[in-house]
Amino acid sequence: MTTSQPRDPAPDAAPFPEPEEPAATAFLPPPPRHRWGFGAFLLVEATLLASAAFVSVLVGDTGPGPLPMRVVLLGTMLPTMIAAGVAVLVTCVRGNGPVADLRLEWRWADVKTGFRYGCVGLVFTTLGAYLWTQLVGNANATSAISALVEDRRMSISAALVMFVYLWLLGPICEEIIYRGLLWGAAEQLQWRSERWGRVAAFLLSTAVFAASHLEPLRTTLLLVIAVPIGLVRLVTGRLPGSIVAHQVNNFLPALTILLGALGVASF
């Protein structure tokens, strides 16, 4: 008696189904561990305050008339840029570099998300600024930079430099410091879960960002500005989205200051 041999499967038929590709999840893998924490943030904040004090002494009293270019460059730009540079240096010396530690990966999806949140934030910021002005009056509602250029004409080149800084460069530097370095320091702590770490980082960076401008009367308004920006960082898990949201939020105030500095419009 002969037994029938099992037939070989057809050559074009796979004996087992191919494994499916894992579906993309909404959660990012945790960033690699680094060897810096809140001490690094305090170092950056100390650098910011010390450089601002040094620049103010270096510039001195400019007197009446148009603001010199050195005041625009040194007084408004240099301290924050130096502090952001120190933050990046910390990640290089004590961590894995700014891309990994500060979550600086570039993705177009994050840019779109940042633009959407920035537009929504701009609406709330405009409404909040209006209500705040009605509450405290025009004299107390201006920002420190607005007070710096109020009733003082600047050269076109100086006004343009300030506009570009307030709109584009300043948000990059501030996001590196607060939703980059400070956020990363908060996430390093031992939380109950990774989700709680992200929420704590969002709350802490939002509060410190508002308080760090050293404008007590505008702290509430700065909180309104900071919430949508921080939400982008929370949702995307990366820094470029919050940078874009911050830039969108800063565009109209920067344009207003530019027109006022050029004498085209008054504050």
Side-chain angles (χ1 to χ4, degrees), residues 136-196:
V136 302
N138 289 325
N140 297 319
T142 58
S143 65
I145 295 181
S146 297
L148 176 66
V149 301
E150 188 175 15
D151 299 328
R152 305 185 73 174
R153 295 286 300 276
M154 287 193 296
S155 65
I156 294 178
S157 58
L160 288 175
V161 167
M162 177 172 283
F163 170 72
V164 171
Y165 172 76
L166 293 177
W167 176 31
L168 298 176
L169 298 180
I172 295 175
C173 295
E174 291 185 348
E175 290 306 301
I176 286 175
I177 296 171
Y178 296 103
R179 273 160 286 269
L181 198 73
L182 178 58
W183 191 292
E187 282 188 325
Q188 285 287 93
L189 298 181
Q190 298 297 323
W191 299 98
R192 290 173 54 189
S193 67
E194 185 180 330
R195 179 180 179 183
W196 277 108

Side-chain angles (χ1 to χ4, degrees), residues 28-194:
L28 293 171
R33 300 285 295 183
H34 46 71
R35 303 184 309 278
W36 53 264
F38 286 105
F41 173 73
L42 293 177
L43 171 64
V44 169
E45 282 292 291
T47 301
L48 177 63
L49 296 175
S51 57
F54 176 76
V55 167
S56 64
V57 172
L58 183 65
V59 170
D61 185 13
T62 59
L67 285 174
M69 176 64 81
R70 74 177 188 276
V71 175
V72 177
L73 292 178
L74 298 179
T76 63
M77 296 173 59
L78 199 56
T80 308
M81 294 178 69
I82 291 175
V86 172
V88 171
L89 182 62
V90 166
T91 65
C92 295
V93 175
R94 298 282 298 171
N96 309 285
V99 173
D101 287 359
L102 304 180
R103 307 296 277 178
L104 274 169
E105 302 98 326
W106 177 267
R107 300 188 185 183
W108 277 110
D110 294 349
V111 174
K112 295 176 182 178
T113 303
F115 183 78
R116 289 197 299 268
Y117 276 74
C119 290
V120 173
L122 188 60
V123 172
F124 281 99
T125 299
T126 303
L127 178 61
Y130 173 76
L131 296 176
W132 184 251
T133 302
Q134 298 302 311
L135 180 63
V136 302
N138 289 325
N140 297 319
T142 58
S143 65
I145 295 181
S146 297
L148 176 66
V149 301
E150 188 175 15
D151 299 328
R152 305 185 73 174
R153 295 286 300 276
M154 287 193 296
S155 65
I156 294 178
S157 58
L160 288 175
V161 167
M162 177 172 283
F163 170 72
V164 171
Y165 172 76
L166 293 177
W167 176 31
L168 298 176
L169 298 180
I172 295 175
C173 295
E174 291 185 348
E175 290 306 301
I176 286 175
I177 296 171
Y178 296 103
R179 273 160 286 269
L181 198 73
L182 178 58
W183 191 292
E187 282 188 325
Q188 285 287 93
L189 298 181
Q190 298 297 323
W191 299 98
R192 290 173 54 189
S193 67
E194 185 180 330

Side-chain angles (χ1 to χ4, degrees), residues 233-260:
R233 177 69 169 85
L234 183 66
V235 169
T236 64
R238 289 172 291 271
L239 199 58
S242 64
I243 291 175
V244 172
H246 199 155
Q247 291 171 335
V248 171
N249 191 86
N250 275 23
F251 176 73
L252 287 182
L255 181 62
T256 301
I257 290 178
L258 171 65
L259 297 177

